[in-house]
C-alpha cells in the first residue's frame, strides 16, 4: 500500500533560479499547494543568495522544511506570518543532486515551472547544459514533452537571451515574462505578485483564484461606482 501511494504521486517540479523575484516563486508554490498539487522543489545555489537578500531567510538543505515554511508564510511586502501554509506535500531536492528523481524521464511528474527564471538559467536550458538539477530537470521535461513554464524575470533583454527564449518556445515551453498587469484592480504589491503567479498557474493548467479575470467590462477592477 505504501509503495502504491509513492507510485501514484505525480508532482509539479518547481525550480527557483537566482533572478530577483522570490515572492513570485512563493506565490506559485502556495497556489500549487492550495490546489492540492504535490511539489518537488529545486532551489538553485544562486537563488539562495537572492532569497537571503530579498527576505533575510537562509534556505538550508538540513532545515529546508522550516525555512520553506517561513518563506511561504511571508507576504510580498515582507510581513511575516501573512499566510498559513502546509508544506507536507513538498519534496526538496538539492540543486547539486544530479541523481535526484526529476533528473530522469522515468520519474513521474506533471511538468515543471521555473519561477523566477534568470537569463543564465534560460541560456542553460536552451543550450541543454544541465549544469545542475534545475537545468537537468528542465531538459528532461522538454524531451519528455511535458509542460514547462519559464517565468523569465529580467529587463531589458538582449538579443542572445531573446534567441534563447525563442529556442525554448520552439521546443514546446511556455515563455512567460514576469509582467504584472493592473486591470485586475491591484491595490497592494501582493496583488501584482499574485497576478504573475496566477498566469503561471494558468499556463500549467492549475486552477486558482489569485486574481480577478478580465470579463470585458472596462473599469471593472477599479473599485469605483
Amino acid at each position: 500500500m505504501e509503495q502504491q501511494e509513492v507510485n501514484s504521486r505525480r508532482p509539479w517540479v518547481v525550480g527557483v533560479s537566482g533572478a530577483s523575484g522570490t515572492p513570485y516563486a512563493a506565490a506559485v508554490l502556495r497556489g500549487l499547494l492550495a490546489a492540492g498539487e504535490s511539489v518537488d522543489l529545486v532551489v538553485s545555489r544562486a537563488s539562495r543568495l537572492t532569497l537571503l537578500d530579498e527576505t533575510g531567510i537562509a534556505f538550508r538543505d538540513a532545515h529546508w522544511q522550516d525555512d520553506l515554511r517561513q518563506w511561504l508564510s511571508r507576504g510580498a511586502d515582507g510581513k511575516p506570518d501573512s499566510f498559513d501554509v502546509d508544506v507536507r506535500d513538498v519534496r526538496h531536492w538539492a540543486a547539486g543532486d544530479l541523481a535526484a528523481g526529476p533528473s530522469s524521464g522515468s520519474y513521474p511528474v506533471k511538468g515543471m515551472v521555473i519561477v523566477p527564471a534568470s537569463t543564465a538559467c534560460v541560456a542553460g536550458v536552451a543550450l541543454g547544459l544541465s549544469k545542475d538539477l534545475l537545468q537537468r530537470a528542465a531538459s528532461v521535461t522538454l524531451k519528455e514533452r511535458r509542460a514547462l513554464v519559464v517565468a523569465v524575470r529580467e529587463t531589458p533583454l538582449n538579443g542572445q537571451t531573446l534567441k534563447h527564449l525563442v529556442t525554448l518556445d520552439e521546443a514546446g515551453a511556455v515563455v512567460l515574462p514576469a509582467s504584472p498587469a493592473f486591470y485586475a484592480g491591484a491595490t497592494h504589491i501582493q496583488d501584482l505578485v499574485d497576478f504573475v503567479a496566477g498566469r503561471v498557474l494558468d499556463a500549467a493548467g492549475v486552477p486558482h483564484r489569485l486574481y480577478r479575470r478580465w470579463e470585458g467590462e472596462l473599469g471593472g477592477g477599479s473599485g469605483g461606482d
Side-chain angles (χ1 to χ4, degrees):
M1 177 64 70
E2 186 174 322
Q3 184 63 36
Q4 184 177 357
E5 290 178 358
V6 171
N7 290 339
S8 65
R9 183 178 184 271
R10 292 187 65 231
W12 281 93
V13 179
V14 176
V16 186
S17 81
S20 175
T22 54
Y24 292 131
V28 168
L29 287 165
R30 287 193 298 265
L32 288 169
L33 295 173
E37 300 287 348
S38 300
V39 171
D40 276 21
L41 178 64
V42 182
V43 181
S44 77
R45 293 177 180 175
S47 70
R48 298 176 191 222
L49 296 176
T50 306
L51 181 63
L52 181 63
D53 183 56
E54 294 184 346
T55 69
I57 297 171
F59 193 91
R60 303 159 295 175
D61 288 336
H63 304 281
W64 70 267
Q65 285 181 311
D66 291 337
D67 297 337
L68 178 63
R69 191 177 296 108
Q70 182 184 2
W71 175 24
L72 298 191
S73 69
R74 183 181 296 262
D77 60 0
K79 183 179 178 181
D81 301 321
S82 296
F83 299 94
D84 184 17
V85 182
D86 185 349
V87 300
R88 286 178 294 179
D89 208 5
V90 178
R91 183 172 186 179
H92 168 254
W93 300 95
D97 185 4
L98 291 177
S103 68
S104 172
S106 66
Y107 183 76
V109 303
K110 291 184 177 180
M112 182 174 181
V113 172
I114 305 176
V115 57
S118 66
T119 54
C121 174
V122 166
V125 176
L127 297 174
L129 298 183
S130 296
K131 73 168 189 176
D132 60 9
L133 179 59
L134 195 161
Q135 292 184 13
R136 171 60 186 169
S139 295
V140 168
T141 301
L142 289 175
K143 81 178 182 69
E144 296 294 328
R145 301 298 191 267
R146 295 168 180 157
L148 175 63
V149 183
V150 180
V152 60
R153 215 305 307 161
E154 185 60 272
T155 189
L157 297 172
N158 64 28
Q160 199 61 49
T161 297
L162 292 170
K163 291 176 183 177
H164 291 151
L165 292 174
V166 170
T167 296
L168 292 180
D169 176 76
E170 292 175 342
V174 175
V175 175
L176 195 153
S179 301
F182 295 85
Y183 63 78
T187 58
H188 298 90
I189 186 173
Q190 189 66 55
D191 298 328
L192 296 174
V193 168
D194 284 346
F195 178 87
V196 172
R199 295 299 288 151
V200 170
L201 295 176
D202 286 344
V206 175
H208 67 87
R209 300 181 67 181
L210 287 176
Y211 68 89
R212 185 190 69 85
R213 297 184 181 277
W214 176 251
E215 296 179 350
E217 180 184 353
L218 290 175
S222 65
D225 295 334

